[in-house]
Amino acid sequence: MNKKDKVYIAGQEGMVGQAVYKLLKEKNYKIISCKRNDLDLTNQQDVNLWFKKKRPQVVINAAGRVGGILDNSKFQTDYIYINTMIGFNILNASVENNVKKLINLGSACIYPRNSKQPITEGDLLTSQLEPTNEGYATAKIASLKYCEHINKKLKKQFISLQPANLYGYGDNFDLKSSHVIPALLRKFHNAKVKNISNVEVWGTGTVMREFLNVEDLAHAIHFCLRKKIKDPYLNVGSTDYLTIKELATMIKKVTEFKGTITFNKKYPDGVKRRKLSTKILDKLGWRSKISLEAGLINYYDYFRSKIYSKKN
């Protein structure tokens, strides 16, 4: 691609979309503005008409319904339907309107629950998915495979990126639907300002996760836009891999909470371990740069100044 190409970022108001929009704007790319209320991505006719009118040459699909483990478990039908419709509608419209390059965002949860660690791209569909997010994972796998077969048939440059657990500016801090980092950060901050002596963390605290700052993901997307990539899908990970207990301890330190931590084992853990192999992307020349601790310090400043201050 070149900077004269018109770029459409689906989901440009979400966490990933905002980060990509900001980075590409800084680099003077021509981005087509499209707010959430401007286009219903679950409606194929609307999407086709919009693509025909706007004629994007590059598409980044960062749209979809996302949420934490309980929200995923509770609304499996919504996760599979909404994300499949969005993925397929964008891909269909991109084919029909001769989009030159497309990056489809997936998730590390597409891989089997008992994958060997670190997880390689070849582990996809080798065994059973994690039940708590099966709906979301199935939708993302369907879009990934659709991309792959479009490439085979039409010789397109439609690729899918599978990032590790994300956090960053634009995150969702609603305790009913958020992922683990924003949920914990909000819990520890609330406990500190309200002089609560204990913070409850859901699950055993023993499961291990890898975390990636959304700004790193935006740079990985930009990197892949400028490269001709042969592989149909790539993992995007970091060097930060730790237990939820270690994560909670780190957030306790960042927020300067002085109380204790307890773990409520009645809540589900999800998969026991999830660490992505990034050998393919490493060989192409990209690696993450933002360490988890440094990222959390900036993230906490963002939460206090932009999120908590508005709520109070």
Side-chain angles (χ1 to χ4, degrees):
M1 69 170 289
N2 60 61
K3 292 187 178 181
K4 293 182 180 180
D5 291 333
K6 291 193 294 183
V7 181
Y8 168 48
I9 304 167
Q12 57 193 240
E13 293 175 278
M15 179 174 69
V16 176
Q18 285 184 56
V20 177
Y21 189 99
K22 179 174 179 288
L23 178 62
L24 296 189
K25 268 292 185 184
E26 288 172 356
K27 296 184 178 295
N28 298 314
Y29 285 90
K30 295 170 64 176
I31 303 173
I32 304 169
S33 178
C34 183
K35 305 298 184 184
R36 185 178 288 111
N37 293 331
D38 294 341
L39 178 61
D40 179 5
L41 291 171
T42 65
N43 186 308
Q44 183 72 82
Q45 185 176 9
D46 289 354
V47 175
N48 285 345
L49 290 171
W50 187 92
F51 268 70
K52 187 175 182 180
K53 181 181 179 181
K54 300 293 184 179
R55 293 290 178 184
Q57 293 150 300
V58 176
V59 172
I60 300 162
N61 179 17
R65 174 159 181 174
V66 296
I69 188 169
L70 289 183
D71 200 61
N72 265 271
S73 299
K74 189 175 180 181
F75 300 104
Q76 293 271 18
T77 54
D78 292 340
Y79 274 90
I80 193 168
Y81 176 78
I82 292 169
N83 289 296
T84 301
M85 290 301 100
I86 289 173
F88 277 31
N89 291 346
I90 288 173
L91 285 164
N92 285 339
S94 295
V95 170
E96 288 294 321
N97 292 278
N98 201 30
V99 167
K100 294 196 296 188
K101 186 146 189 173
L102 180 145
I103 292 187
N104 174 55
L105 271 295
S107 166
C109 76
I110 66 168
Y111 293 111
R113 64 180 301 184
N114 295 320
S115 297
K116 293 181 180 178
Q117 307 295 311
I119 305 168
T120 69
E121 288 82 354
D123 290 316
L124 182 66
L125 296 175
T126 55
S127 63
Q128 184 180 3
L129 295 169
E130 163 58 34
T132 56
N133 55 29
E134 186 178 69
Y136 182 73
T138 302
K140 289 299 182 179
I141 291 168
S143 293
L144 179 155
K145 282 296 179 182
Y146 195 14
C147 269
E148 186 176 356
H149 286 283
I150 288 170
N151 289 346
K152 288 178 181 178
K153 182 179 179 180
L154 302 174
K155 308 301 179 187
K156 289 283 190 180
Q157 267 280 292
F158 289 9
I159 64 170
S160 297
L161 299 182
Q162 315 310 314
N165 290 43
L166 295 169
Y167 71 99
Y169 298 168
D171 219 335
N172 169 26
F173 291 91
D174 185 339
L175 293 179
K176 294 179 181 178
S177 59
S178 60
H179 289 106
V180 61
I181 286 184
L184 288 179
L185 192 91
R186 181 173 176 181
K187 282 185 175 183
F188 278 103
H189 180 78
N190 286 348
K192 183 180 77 168
V193 298
K194 295 177 181 178
N195 293 316
I196 298 170
S197 61
N198 180 73
V199 168
E200 180 185 273
V201 179
W202 293 350
T204 63
T206 60
V207 299
M208 298 190 72
R209 292 290 184 272
E210 175 183 18
F211 296 97
L212 179 72
N213 191 285
V214 72
E215 291 181 26
D216 267 336
L217 176 59
H219 281 279
I221 291 168
H222 179 238
F223 177 87
C224 291
L225 285 175
R226 294 179 292 116
K227 288 276 187 179
K228 188 169 184 178
I229 295 172
K230 296 179 181 178
D231 299 274
Y233 55 99
L234 305 173
N235 291 337
V236 186
S238 71
T239 57
D240 293 297
Y241 181 53
L242 68 171
T243 66
I244 297 301
K245 182 179 180 179
E246 290 169 331
L247 173 66
T249 302
M250 187 180 291
I251 293 175
K252 176 183 176 181
K253 177 184 175 183
V254 168
T255 58
E256 298 181 332
F257 171 67
K258 303 301 181 184
T260 58
I261 304 172
T262 57
F263 294 87
N264 189 335
K265 298 177 182 179
K266 293 181 181 179
Y267 287 95
D269 274 331
V271 296
K272 298 300 181 185
R273 295 182 302 280
R274 185 186 290 136
K275 175 73 177 80
L276 295 176
S277 168
T278 58
K279 285 185 178 180
I280 296 176
L281 200 49
D282 291 348
K283 287 180 181 178
L284 289 170
W286 186 88
R287 284 186 172 85
S288 64
K289 294 181 179 179
I290 303 171
S291 72
L292 181 58
E293 188 164 9
L296 285 176
I297 290 169
N298 290 332
Y299 186 63
Y300 186 42
D301 288 341
Y302 157 73
F303 172 78
R304 286 184 296 181
S305 63
K306 302 294 184 182
I307 307 299
Y308 188 79
S309 61
K310 289 183 179 180
K311 292 181 182 297
N312 295 275

